[in-house]
Amino acid sequence: GPGGGASPGLIALTLHESCAGELAVGPLPPAAATTGTRLVFFLGAVRDMSDGERAGLAAECGARGVPLLGCRIGPVPEFTSKILQVLAFHAM
């Protein structure tokens, strides 16, 4: 999109079981708790994101200087979807 520029303290994440990096769940180290970094998760919802959606997200993040990382909760899709259901329930 227009504008752009770096977005300090913001990281975009996609969550999918095929990603190599595991999302660490647990207490934050003291330094991490005070940096003010915000994580924004982009999910495919009922279905996985399409290649075009992933490309669009990567382009927008790149234009805004926002790092885009992929991670997973675990290698099993059913586990990931159950965790997301719990998160969505508690966010309401």
Coordinates of all heavy atoms in Angstrom, one line a residue:
G1 N 0.8 -1.2 0.0 CA 0.0 0.0 0.0 C 0.8 1.2 0.0 O 2.0 1.2 0.2
P2 N 0.2 2.4 -0.1 CA 1.0 3.6 -0.1 C 1.5 4.0 1.3 O 1.1 3.4 2.2 CB -0.1 4.7 -0.6 CG -1.4 4.1 -0.3 CD -1.2 2.6 -0.3
G3 N 2.4 4.9 1.3 CA 3.0 5.3 2.6 C 4.2 4.4 2.9 O 5.2 4.5 2.3
G4 N 4.1 3.5 3.8 CA 5.2 2.6 4.1 C 6.0 3.1 5.2 O 5.5 3.9 6.1
G5 N 7.3 2.7 5.2 CA 8.1 3.1 6.3 C 8.2 2.0 7.3 O 7.3 1.1 7.3
A6 N 9.2 2.0 8.2 CA 9.3 0.9 9.2 C 8.3 1.0 10.2 O 7.8 2.1 10.6 CB 10.7 1.0 9.8
S7 N 7.9 -0.1 10.8 CA 7.0 -0.2 11.9 C 7.7 -0.9 13.0 O 7.6 -2.1 13.2 CB 5.7 -1.0 11.5 OG 5.0 -0.4 10.4
P8 N 8.4 -0.1 13.8 CA 9.2 -0.6 14.9 C 8.3 -1.3 16.0 O 7.2 -0.8 16.2 CB 10.0 0.5 15.5 CG 9.2 1.7 15.1 CD 8.5 1.4 13.8
G9 N 8.8 -2.4 16.5 CA 8.1 -3.0 17.6 C 6.9 -3.9 17.1 O 6.0 -4.3 17.9
L10 N 6.8 -4.2 15.8 CA 5.7 -5.0 15.3 C 6.3 -6.1 14.5 O 7.2 -6.0 13.7 CB 4.9 -4.1 14.4 CG 3.6 -4.7 13.8 CD1 2.6 -5.1 14.9 CD2 2.9 -3.7 12.9
I11 N 5.8 -7.3 14.8 CA 6.2 -8.5 14.0 C 4.9 -9.2 13.5 O 4.0 -9.4 14.3 CB 7.0 -9.5 14.9 CG1 8.3 -8.8 15.4 CG2 7.3 -10.8 14.1 CD1 9.1 -9.6 16.4
A12 N 4.9 -9.6 12.3 CA 3.7 -10.3 11.7 C 4.1 -11.8 11.7 O 5.2 -12.2 11.3 CB 3.4 -9.8 10.3
L13 N 3.1 -12.6 12.1 CA 3.4 -14.1 12.1 C 2.3 -14.8 11.4 O 1.1 -14.5 11.5 CB 3.4 -14.6 13.6 CG 4.5 -14.1 14.5 CD1 4.2 -14.3 15.9 CD2 5.7 -14.9 14.1
T14 N 2.7 -15.8 10.6 CA 1.7 -16.8 10.1 C 1.8 -18.0 10.9 O 2.9 -18.4 11.3 CB 1.9 -17.1 8.6 OG1 3.2 -17.6 8.4 CG2 1.7 -15.8 7.8
L15 N 0.8 -18.7 11.2 CA 0.8 -19.9 12.0 C 0.3 -21.1 11.2 O -0.8 -21.1 10.6 CB -0.2 -19.7 13.2 CG -0.2 -20.7 14.3 CD1 1.2 -20.7 15.0 CD2 -1.2 -20.3 15.3
H16 N 1.2 -22.0 11.0 CA 0.9 -23.2 10.2 C 1.8 -24.4 10.6 O 3.0 -24.2 10.9 CB 1.1 -23.0 8.7 CG 0.4 -24.0 7.8 ND1 1.1 -25.1 7.4 CD2 -0.8 -24.1 7.3 CE1 0.3 -25.9 6.7 NE2 -0.9 -25.3 6.6
E17 N 1.3 -25.6 10.6 CA 2.0 -26.7 11.1 C 3.2 -27.1 10.2 O 4.1 -27.8 10.7 CB 1.1 -27.9 11.3 CG 0.5 -28.5 10.0 CD -0.8 -27.7 9.6 OE1 -1.3 -26.8 10.3 OE2 -1.4 -28.1 8.6
S18 N 3.3 -26.6 9.0 CA 4.4 -26.9 8.1 C 5.6 -26.0 8.4 O 6.7 -26.3 7.9 CB 4.0 -26.7 6.7 OG 3.7 -25.4 6.4
C19 N 5.5 -25.0 9.2 CA 6.6 -24.1 9.5 C 7.6 -24.8 10.4 O 7.3 -25.7 11.2 CB 6.1 -22.8 10.2 SG 5.1 -21.8 9.1
A20 N 8.9 -24.5 10.2 CA 9.9 -25.1 11.0 C 10.0 -24.6 12.5 O 10.3 -25.3 13.4 CB 11.3 -24.9 10.3
G21 N 9.8 -23.3 12.6 CA 9.9 -22.7 14.0 C 8.7 -23.0 14.9 O 7.6 -22.8 14.5
E22 N 9.0 -23.4 16.1 CA 8.0 -23.6 17.1 C 7.7 -22.3 17.8 O 8.6 -21.6 18.2 CB 8.4 -24.6 18.1 CG 8.6 -26.0 17.6 CD 7.2 -26.8 17.4 OE1 6.3 -26.3 18.0 OE2 7.2 -27.7 16.6
L23 N 6.4 -22.0 18.1 CA 6.0 -20.8 18.9 C 6.3 -21.2 20.3 O 5.7 -22.1 20.9 CB 4.6 -20.5 18.6 CG 4.0 -19.3 19.4 CD1 4.7 -18.0 19.0 CD2 2.5 -19.2 19.1
A24 N 7.2 -20.4 20.9 CA 7.5 -20.7 22.4 C 6.3 -20.2 23.2 O 5.9 -19.0 23.1 CB 8.8 -19.9 22.7
V25 N 5.8 -21.0 24.0 CA 4.7 -20.7 24.9 C 5.3 -20.9 26.4 O 5.6 -21.9 26.8 CB 3.5 -21.6 24.7 CG1 2.4 -21.2 25.7 CG2 3.0 -21.5 23.3
G26 N 5.3 -19.8 27.1 CA 5.8 -19.8 28.5 C 6.1 -18.4 28.9 O 5.8 -17.4 28.2
P27 N 6.7 -18.3 30.1 CA 7.0 -17.0 30.6 C 8.0 -16.3 29.7 O 8.9 -16.9 29.2 CB 7.6 -17.3 32.0 CG 7.3 -18.7 32.3 CD 7.0 -19.4 31.0
L28 N 7.8 -15.0 29.6 CA 8.8 -14.2 28.8 C 10.0 -13.8 29.7 O 9.8 -13.6 30.9 CB 8.1 -12.9 28.3 CG 7.1 -13.0 27.3 CD1 6.4 -11.6 27.1 CD2 7.6 -13.5 26.0
P29 N 11.2 -13.8 29.1 CA 12.3 -13.3 29.8 C 12.0 -11.8 30.2 O 11.3 -11.1 29.5 CB 13.5 -13.4 28.9 CG 13.0 -13.9 27.6 CD 11.5 -14.1 27.7
P30 N 12.6 -11.3 31.3 CA 12.3 -9.9 31.7 C 12.5 -8.9 30.7 O 11.7 -8.0 30.5 CB 13.2 -9.7 32.9 CG 13.5 -11.1 33.4 CD 13.4 -12.0 32.2
A31 N 13.6 -9.0 29.9 CA 13.9 -8.0 28.9 C 12.8 -8.0 27.8 O 12.4 -6.9 27.3 CB 15.2 -8.2 28.2
A32 N 12.3 -9.1 27.4 CA 11.3 -9.2 26.4 C 9.9 -8.6 26.8 O 9.2 -8.1 26.0 CB 11.0 -10.7 26.0
A33 N 9.7 -8.7 28.1 CA 8.4 -8.2 28.6 C 8.4 -6.6 28.6 O 7.3 -6.1 28.7 CB 8.2 -8.7 30.0
T34 N 9.5 -6.0 28.5 CA 9.5 -4.5 28.6 C 9.8 -3.9 27.2 O 9.8 -2.6 27.2 CB 10.6 -4.1 29.6 OG1 11.9 -4.5 29.2 CG2 10.3 -4.6 31.0
T35 N 10.0 -4.6 26.2 CA 10.3 -4.0 24.9 C 9.1 -3.4 24.1 O 9.3 -2.6 23.3 CB 11.0 -5.0 23.9 OG1 10.1 -6.1 23.7 CG2 12.3 -5.5 24.5
G36 N 7.9 -3.9 24.5 CA 6.8 -3.3 23.8 C 6.5 -3.9 22.4 O 5.8 -3.3 21.6
T37 N 7.2 -5.0 22.1 CA 7.0 -5.6 20.8 C 5.6 -6.2 20.7 O 5.2 -6.9 21.6 CB 8.0 -6.7 20.5 OG1 9.3 -6.1 20.5 CG2 7.8 -7.4 19.2
R38 N 4.9 -6.0 19.6 CA 3.5 -6.5 19.4 C 3.6 -7.6 18.3 O 4.3 -7.4 17.3 CB 2.6 -5.4 19.0 CG 2.3 -4.4 20.1 CD 1.4 -3.3 19.6 NE 2.2 -2.5 18.6 CZ 1.6 -1.8 17.7 NH1 0.3 -1.8 17.5 NH2 2.4 -1.2 16.8
L39 N 2.9 -8.7 18.5 CA 2.8 -9.7 17.5 C 1.4 -9.7 16.9 O 0.4 -9.6 17.6 CB 3.0 -11.1 18.2 CG 4.3 -11.3 18.9 CD1 4.3 -12.7 19.6 CD2 5.5 -11.2 18.0
V40 N 1.4 -9.8 15.6 CA 0.1 -9.8 14.9 C 0.1 -11.1 14.1 O 0.9 -11.4 13.3 CB 0.0 -8.6 13.9 CG1 -1.4 -8.7 13.1 CG2 0.1 -7.3 14.6
F41 N -0.9 -12.0 14.4 CA -1.0 -13.3 13.8 C -2.0 -13.2 12.6 O -3.1 -12.6 12.7 CB -1.6 -14.3 14.8 CG -0.6 -14.7 15.8 CD1 -0.4 -14.0 17.0 CD2 0.2 -15.9 15.6 CE1 0.5 -14.4 17.9 CE2 1.1 -16.3 16.5 CZ 1.3 -15.6 17.7
F42 N -1.6 -13.7 11.5 CA -2.4 -13.8 10.3 C -2.7 -15.3 10.1 O -1.8 -16.1 9.9 CB -1.7 -13.2 9.1 CG -1.6 -11.7 9.2 CD1 -0.5 -11.2 9.8 CD2 -2.6 -10.9 8.7 CE1 -0.4 -9.8 9.9 CE2 -2.5 -9.5 8.8 CZ -1.4 -9.0 9.4
L43 N -4.0 -15.6 10.1 CA -4.4 -17.0 10.0 C -5.3 -17.2 8.8 O -6.0 -16.3 8.4 CB -5.2 -17.4 11.3 CG -4.5 -17.1 12.6 CD1 -5.5 -17.3 13.7 CD2 -3.3 -17.9 12.8
G44 N -5.3 -18.5 8.3 CA -6.1 -18.8 7.2 C -7.5 -19.1 7.6 O -8.4 -19.3 6.7
A45 N -7.8 -19.0 8.9 CA -9.2 -19.3 9.4 C -9.6 -20.7 9.1 O -8.9 -21.7 9.5 CB -10.2 -18.3 8.9
V46 N -10.7 -20.9 8.4 CA -11.3 -22.2 8.2 C -10.4 -23.0 7.2 O -10.3 -24.2 7.2 CB -12.7 -22.1 7.6 CG1 -13.3 -23.5 7.3 CG2 -13.6 -21.4 8.6
R47 N -9.7 -22.3 6.4 CA -8.8 -22.9 5.4 C -7.4 -22.3 5.5 O -7.3 -21.2 6.1 CB -9.4 -22.8 4.0 CG -9.5 -21.3 3.6 CD -9.7 -21.1 2.1 NE -9.9 -19.7 1.8 CZ -8.9 -18.8 1.8 NH1 -7.7 -19.1 2.0 NH2 -9.2 -17.5 1.5
D48 N -6.4 -22.9 4.9 CA -5.1 -22.3 4.9 C -5.1 -21.1 3.9 O -5.9 -21.0 3.0 CB -4.1 -23.3 4.4 CG -3.8 -24.4 5.4 OD1 -4.1 -24.2 6.6 OD2 -3.3 -25.5 5.0
M49 N -4.2 -20.2 4.2 CA -4.0 -19.0 3.3 C -3.6 -19.6 1.9 O -2.8 -20.5 1.8 CB -3.0 -18.1 3.8 CG -3.4 -17.4 5.1 SD -2.1 -16.3 5.8 CE -1.9 -15.1 4.6
S50 N -4.1 -18.9 0.8 CA -3.6 -19.3 -0.5 C -2.3 -18.7 -0.8 O -1.8 -17.8 -0.1 CB -4.6 -18.7 -1.5 OG -4.6 -17.3 -1.6
D51 N -1.6 -19.2 -1.9 CA -0.3 -18.6 -2.3 C -0.4 -17.1 -2.5 O 0.4 -16.3 -2.2 CB 0.2 -19.3 -3.5 CG 0.6 -20.8 -3.2 OD1 0.8 -21.1 -2.0 OD2 0.7 -21.6 -4.2
G52 N -1.5 -16.7 -3.2 CA -1.7 -15.3 -3.4 C -1.9 -14.5 -2.2 O -1.4 -13.3 -2.1
E53 N -2.6 -15.0 -1.2 CA -2.8 -14.3 0.1 C -1.5 -14.2 0.8 O -1.1 -13.1 1.4 CB -3.8 -15.0 0.9 CG -5.2 -14.9 0.4 CD -6.2 -15.9 1.1 OE1 -5.8 -16.9 1.6 OE2 -7.4 -15.5 1.1
R54 N -0.7 -15.2 0.8 CA 0.7 -15.2 1.4 C 1.6 -14.2 0.7 O 2.3 -13.4 1.4 CB 1.3 -16.6 1.5 CG 0.8 -17.5 2.6 CD 1.6 -18.7 2.7 NE 1.6 -19.6 1.6 CZ 0.6 -20.5 1.4 NH1 -0.4 -20.6 2.2 NH2 0.6 -21.2 0.3
A55 N 1.5 -14.2 -0.6 CA 2.3 -13.2 -1.4 C 1.9 -11.8 -1.1 O 2.7 -10.9 -0.9 CB 2.2 -13.5 -2.9
G56 N 0.6 -11.5 -1.0 CA 0.1 -10.2 -0.7 C 0.5 -9.7 0.7 O 0.9 -8.6 0.9
L57 N 0.4 -10.6 1.7 CA 0.8 -10.3 3.0 C 2.3 -10.0 3.1 O 2.7 -9.0 3.7 CB 0.5 -11.5 4.0 CG 0.9 -11.3 5.4 CD1 0.2 -10.1 6.0 CD2 0.5 -12.6 6.2
A58 N 3.1 -10.8 2.4 CA 4.6 -10.6 2.4 C 4.9 -9.2 1.7 O 5.8 -8.5 2.2 CB 5.3 -11.7 1.6
A59 N 4.2 -8.9 0.7 CA 4.4 -7.6 0.0 C 4.1 -6.4 0.9 O 4.8 -5.5 1.0 CB 3.7 -7.5 -1.3
E60 N 2.9 -6.5 1.6 CA 2.5 -5.4 2.5 C 3.4 -5.3 3.6 O 3.8 -4.2 4.1 CB 1.1 -5.7 2.9 CG 0.0 -5.4 1.8 CD 0.0 -4.0 1.3 OE1 0.2 -3.0 2.1 OE2 -0.1 -3.9 0.1
C61 N 3.8 -6.4 4.2 CA 4.8 -6.3 5.4 C 6.1 -5.8 4.9 O 6.7 -4.9 5.6 CB 5.0 -7.7 6.0 SG 3.6 -8.3 6.9
G62 N 6.6 -6.2 3.8 CA 7.9 -5.7 3.2 C 7.8 -4.2 3.0 O 8.7 -3.4 3.3
A63 N 6.7 -3.7 2.4 CA 6.5 -2.3 2.1 C 6.5 -1.4 3.4 O 6.8 -0.3 3.4 CB 5.2 -2.0 1.4
R64 N 6.1 -2.0 4.5 CA 6.0 -1.3 5.8 C 7.1 -1.6 6.8 O 7.1 -1.1 7.9 CB 4.7 -1.6 6.5 CG 3.5 -1.0 5.7 CD 2.2 -1.6 6.1 NE 1.1 -0.9 5.5 CZ 0.8 -0.9 4.2 NH1 1.5 -1.5 3.4 NH2 -0.2 -0.2 3.7
G65 N 8.1 -2.4 6.3 CA 9.2 -2.7 7.2 C 8.9 -3.6 8.3 O 9.5 -3.6 9.4
V66 N 7.8 -4.4 8.2 CA 7.4 -5.3 9.3 C 7.9 -6.7 9.0 O 7.6 -7.3 7.9 CB 5.9 -5.4 9.4 CG1 5.4 -6.4 10.4 CG2 5.3 -4.0 9.7
P67 N 8.7 -7.3 9.9 CA 9.2 -8.6 9.7 C 8.0 -9.6 9.6 O 7.1 -9.5 10.4 CB 10.1 -8.9 10.9 CG 10.3 -7.6 11.6 CD 9.2 -6.7 11.1
L68 N 8.1 -10.6 8.7 CA 7.0 -11.6 8.6 C 7.7 -12.9 8.8 O 8.6 -13.3 8.1 CB 6.4 -11.6 7.2 CG 5.4 -12.6 6.9 CD1 4.2 -12.6 7.8 CD2 4.9 -12.5 5.4
L69 N 7.2 -13.6 9.9 CA 7.8 -14.9 10.3 C 6.7 -15.9 10.2 O 5.5 -15.6 10.4 CB 8.4 -14.8 11.7 CG 9.4 -13.7 11.9 CD1 9.7 -13.7 13.4 CD2 10.6 -13.9 11.1
G70 N 7.1 -17.2 10.1 CA 6.2 -18.3 10.2 C 6.5 -19.2 11.4 O 7.7 -19.3 11.7
C71 N 5.5 -19.7 12.0 CA 5.8 -20.5 13.2 C 4.7 -21.5 13.3 O 3.7 -21.4 12.6 CB 6.0 -19.7 14.5 SG 4.5 -18.8 14.9
R72 N 4.8 -22.5 14.2 CA 3.8 -23.4 14.5 C 3.7 -23.7 16.0 O 4.6 -23.5 16.7 CB 4.1 -24.7 13.7 CG 5.3 -25.5 14.2 CD 5.6 -26.7 13.4 NE 6.7 -27.5 14.1 CZ 7.1 -28.6 13.7 NH1 6.5 -29.2 12.6 NH2 8.0 -29.3 14.3
I73 N 2.5 -24.2 16.4 CA 2.4 -24.6 17.8 C 2.8 -26.1 17.9 O 3.3 -26.5 18.9 CB 0.9 -24.5 18.2 CG1 0.5 -23.0 18.2 CG2 0.6 -25.0 19.6 CD1 -1.0 -22.7 18.4
G74 N 2.6 -26.8 16.8 CA 3.0 -28.2 16.8 C 2.8 -28.7 15.4 O 2.3 -28.1 14.5
P75 N 3.3 -30.0 15.1 CA 3.2 -30.5 13.8 C 1.8 -31.1 13.4 O 1.6 -31.4 12.2 CB 4.2 -31.6 13.8 CG 4.3 -32.1 15.2 CD 4.0 -30.9 16.0
V76 N 0.9 -31.1 14.3 CA -0.4 -31.7 14.0 C -1.5 -30.6 13.8 O -1.7 -29.8 14.7 CB -0.9 -32.6 15.2 CG1 -2.2 -33.3 14.9 CG2 0.2 -33.7 15.5
P77 N -2.1 -30.6 12.6 CA -3.1 -29.5 12.3 C -4.2 -29.5 13.3 O -4.7 -28.4 13.6 CB -3.6 -29.9 10.9 CG -2.6 -30.8 10.3 CD -1.9 -31.5 11.5
E78 N -4.7 -30.6 13.7 CA -5.9 -30.7 14.6 C -5.5 -30.0 16.0 O -6.3 -29.3 16.6 CB -6.3 -32.1 14.9 CG -7.0 -32.7 13.7 CD -6.0 -33.3 12.6 OE1 -4.8 -33.4 13.0 OE2 -6.4 -33.5 11.5
F79 N -4.3 -30.2 16.4 CA -3.9 -29.5 17.7 C -3.8 -28.0 17.5 O -4.3 -27.3 18.3 CB -2.5 -30.0 18.1 CG -2.0 -29.4 19.3 CD1 -2.5 -29.7 20.6 CD2 -0.9 -28.5 19.3 CE1 -2.1 -29.2 21.7 CE2 -0.5 -27.9 20.5 CZ -1.0 -28.3 21.7
T80 N -3.3 -27.6 16.4 CA -3.2 -26.1 16.1 C -4.6 -25.5 16.1 O -4.8 -24.5 16.7 CB -2.5 -25.9 14.8 OG1 -1.2 -26.4 14.9 CG2 -2.4 -24.4 14.5
S81 N -5.5 -26.2 15.4 CA -6.9 -25.6 15.3 C -7.6 -25.6 16.7 O -8.3 -24.6 17.0 CB -7.7 -26.4 14.3 OG -7.9 -27.7 14.7
K82 N -7.4 -26.6 17.5 CA -8.0 -26.6 18.9 C -7.4 -25.5 19.7 O -8.2 -24.8 20.4 CB -7.8 -28.0 19.5 CG -8.7 -29.0 18.9 CD -8.5 -30.3 19.6 CE -9.3 -31.5 19.1 NZ -9.9 -31.4 17.8
I83 N -6.1 -25.2 19.6 CA -5.5 -24.1 20.4 C -6.1 -22.8 19.9 O -6.4 -21.9 20.7 CB -4.0 -24.1 20.3 CG1 -3.4 -25.4 20.9 CG2 -3.4 -22.9 20.8 CD1 -3.6 -25.5 22.4
L84 N -6.2 -22.6 18.6 CA -6.8 -21.4 18.1 C -8.2 -21.2 18.5 O -8.7 -20.1 18.8 CB -6.7 -21.3 16.6 CG -5.3 -21.3 16.0 CD1 -5.2 -21.3 14.5 CD2 -4.6 -20.0 16.5
Q85 N -9.0 -22.3 18.6 CA -10.4 -22.2 19.1 C -10.4 -21.7 20.5 O -11.2 -20.8 20.9 CB -11.1 -23.5 19.0 CG -11.4 -23.9 17.6 CD -12.0 -25.3 17.5 OE1 -12.0 -26.0 18.4 NE2 -12.4 -25.7 16.3
V86 N -9.5 -22.2 21.4 CA -9.5 -21.7 22.8 C -9.1 -20.3 22.8 O -9.7 -19.5 23.6 CB -8.5 -22.6 23.6 CG1 -8.2 -22.0 24.9 CG2 -9.0 -24.0 23.7
L87 N -8.1 -19.9 22.1 CA -7.7 -18.4 22.0 C -8.8 -17.5 21.6 O -9.0 -16.5 22.2 CB -6.4 -18.3 21.2 CG -5.1 -18.9 21.6 CD1 -4.1 -18.7 20.6 CD2 -4.7 -18.2 22.9
A88 N -9.5 -17.9 20.6 CA -10.6 -17.1 20.1 C -11.7 -17.0 21.1 O -12.3 -15.9 21.3 CB -11.2 -17.7 18.8
F89 N -12.0 -18.1 21.8 CA -13.0 -18.1 22.8 C -12.7 -17.1 23.9 O -13.5 -16.3 24.4 CB -13.2 -19.5 23.4 CG -14.1 -19.5 24.6 CD1 -15.5 -19.5 24.4 CD2 -13.7 -19.6 25.9 CE1 -16.4 -19.5 25.5 CE2 -14.5 -19.6 27.0 CZ -15.9 -19.5 26.8
H90 N -11.4 -17.1 24.4 CA -11.0 -16.3 25.5 C -10.8 -14.8 25.1 O -10.8 -13.9 25.9 CB -9.7 -16.8 26.1 CG -9.9 -18.0 26.9 ND1 -10.6 -18.0 28.1 CD2 -9.7 -19.3 26.7 CE1 -10.7 -19.2 28.6 NE2 -10.1 -20.1 27.8
A91 N -10.6 -14.6 23.8 CA -10.5 -13.2 23.3 C -11.8 -12.5 23.2 O -11.8 -11.2 23.1 CB -9.8 -13.2 21.9
M92 N -12.9 -13.2 23.2 CA -14.2 -12.6 23.0 C -14.7 -11.9 24.3 O -14.6 -12.1 25.4 CB -15.2 -13.6 22.5 CG -14.8 -14.1 21.1 SD -16.2 -15.0 20.4 CE -16.1 -14.5 18.8

